[in-house]
Amino acid sequence: MKAASDVVVVGAGVIGAACAEALTAAGVSVTVLDRGAPASGTTAAGEGNVLVSDKAPGPELRLAQASRRRWPELLDALRAELGPRRAEAEWEPKGGLVVVTGVDGIRPLREFAAAQRAAGVTARELGPAAAAELEPHLTKDVAGAVHYPEDAQLQPVLAATTLLAAVRARGGQVRAGVTALGVTRGTSGAVTGVRTDRGTLPCAAVVNACGPWSGDFARRAGAPVAVQPRRGMVLVTGPLPAGTVRHKVYDGDYVGAVAGGGAGLQTSAVVESTRAGTVLIGSSRERVGFDEALRVRVLRELARKAAALFPVLTHVPVMRAYGGFRPYAPDHLPVIGADPRLPGLWHATGHEGAGIGLAAATGRLLADLYTGRAREVDPEPFRVDRPGIVPGEAAA
């Protein structure tokens, strides 16, 4: 571990990869470490959502809007830099459709969409007939819907590996199978390196992009943060005819599940197709620590709710199921920026299930903060020393 970098990014998922890409684009030398293979943790268990539809007006929505603008521009730039074969992320600006199947849900759906429109989101209210034109296989029980043309999807592992390919092309390093154990400090108390199971890697700064494991790494570094794992599961069907599901479609109660903070199981119907023709079915949220067991009852509930939304799926075979851990912060906002308790320690974590969509803007924001450039997004709401993020400090 002799080579020194300006910055060591711990975590080679999509958030760490986006931070490393943005830093190297700004001329910063970077080494990315991961205890496993790149993009093999939370990123590999994602659905690839790039959403504005599920976020209430506020800081996270502003970050999501910035990321939605940046993703296609960034991918176009990387294709020009790396070539199309090395920069393929299956970007699909397919749009989203949020539906309710009971009249009681129409008013909350409309009010949420109106608030988002006031914040600059394109949200088009539809009746049942117009919703059926967009999604012919939807249940006939739809009472109302909102179309979000800005929602998009990409393949998360491909996106992360594309970002890391750019890091390598610019002289950065990506080291798999290296476990970060903590940091070293100089006489001033600032970070001077990262301790690993392969030795110490000198650096001027370290970025904690460990996802659900960020809390553990921060504790080892001596600056704990309240980020915990939140489990999610996804079903994958066999390939279906093109056009069976045309958008990302979810039930209106999904927004409440995303914003909920309870430890118990929360599920909502979320259905979308992939370029390969398979259909991804979610979503679930549950705080069970790092318990990796697949729970059949959860998978059954996901299947039941998806079939209620798309009856055509009732007899479709399920090819596989997978689960993953998402980095949950108590106030549902990411943690992005420098840690004032430990000079040289930076955080990019706490995105929970929105990390794929928020990655492009997160990486840019962190790089802007590190280099002192003007920021497109206000970093204040994401600071690490806000109430509730530092253990022992109550949330506001």
Side-chain angles (χ1 to χ4, degrees), residues 36-361:
S40 62
T42 298
T43 296
E47 296 174 73
N49 297 324
V50 182
L51 305 182
V52 296
S53 59
D54 63 340
K55 296 168 182 65
E60 188 183 28
L61 177 58
R62 291 191 289 273
L63 188 67
Q65 290 171 306
S67 209
R68 174 59 180 84
R69 291 189 295 269
R70 179 158 174 75
W71 261 124
E73 296 172 357
L74 176 59
L75 291 172
D76 284 346
L78 293 178
R79 275 191 289 271
E81 179 181 348
L82 303 172
R85 293 186 62 184
R86 297 176 65 195
E88 176 53 64
E90 297 186 2
W91 173 259
E92 291 187 78
K94 62 171 60 177
L97 189 67
V98 185
V99 303
V100 293
T101 54
V103 293
D104 291 343
I106 295 177
R107 181 176 176 181
L109 182 71
R110 288 176 174 170
E111 290 176 347
F112 189 79
Q116 287 183 304
R117 280 195 295 272
V121 175
T122 302
R124 300 168 180 162
E125 295 179 23
L126 305 177
E133 288 183 9
L134 290 180
E135 291 288 349
H137 293 289
L138 260 179
T139 175
K140 305 303 181 185
D141 295 331
V142 169
V146 177
H147 178 218
Y148 289 91
E150 294 168 289
D151 281 358
Q153 184 180 0
L154 48 70
Q155 212 292 332
V157 173
L158 290 178
T161 54
T162 292
L163 296 168
L164 294 173
V167 171
R168 291 189 183 97
R170 298 165 187 162
Q173 301 178 63
V174 180
R175 299 183 179 181
V178 178
T179 300
L181 303 175
V183 301
T184 58
R185 305 189 191 196
T187 55
S188 67
V191 168
T192 58
V194 177
R195 292 187 296 105
T196 80
D197 60 350
R198 305 284 186 87
T200 297
L201 182 62
C203 63
V206 57
V207 178
N208 174 16
C210 299
W213 299 272
S214 294
D216 180 65
F217 179 76
R219 178 184 57 79
R220 291 171 178 267
V225 294
V227 174
Q228 305 174 41
R230 203 177 188 195
R231 185 88 191 281
M233 295 188 188
V234 177
L235 290 171
V236 185
T237 74
L240 299 178
T244 302
V245 180
R246 301 176 180 179
H247 303 76
K248 178 185 177 67
V249 184
Y250 61 86
D251 194 286
D253 63 2
Y254 174 73
V255 173
V258 169
L265 176 66
Q266 296 173 295
T267 63
S268 181
V270 180
V271 182
E272 62 191 316
S273 62
T274 69
R275 189 172 292 184
T278 59
V279 171
L280 305 180
I281 296 172
S283 75
S284 71
R285 283 171 163 78
E286 190 176 16
R287 296 225 305 273
V288 293
F290 285 104
D291 183 355
E292 296 182 343
L294 285 175
R295 290 171 170 77
V296 175
R297 67 182 180 89
V298 177
L299 301 177
R300 284 176 176 163
E301 189 166 337
L302 295 180
R304 178 181 62 80
K305 290 188 174 183
L309 199 60
F310 280 89
V312 69
L313 298 176
T314 301
H315 301 294
V316 169
V318 171
M319 183 170 64
R320 66 187 180 97
Y322 62 89
F325 302 107
R326 301 155 180 164
Y328 166 84
D331 59 2
H332 300 283
L333 286 179
V335 182
I336 307 168
D339 195 315
R341 298 168 296 174
L342 177 51
L345 175 63
W346 294 68
H347 300 278
T349 185
H351 300 74
E352 204 183 330
I356 307 299
L358 299 177

Side-chain angles (χ1 to χ4, degrees), residues 9 15-25 28 30 32 163-164 167 170 363:
V9 176
I15 295 295
C19 291
E21 187 283 327
L23 286 166
T24 55
V28 179
V30 174
V32 183
L163 296 168
L164 294 173
V167 171
R170 298 165 187 162

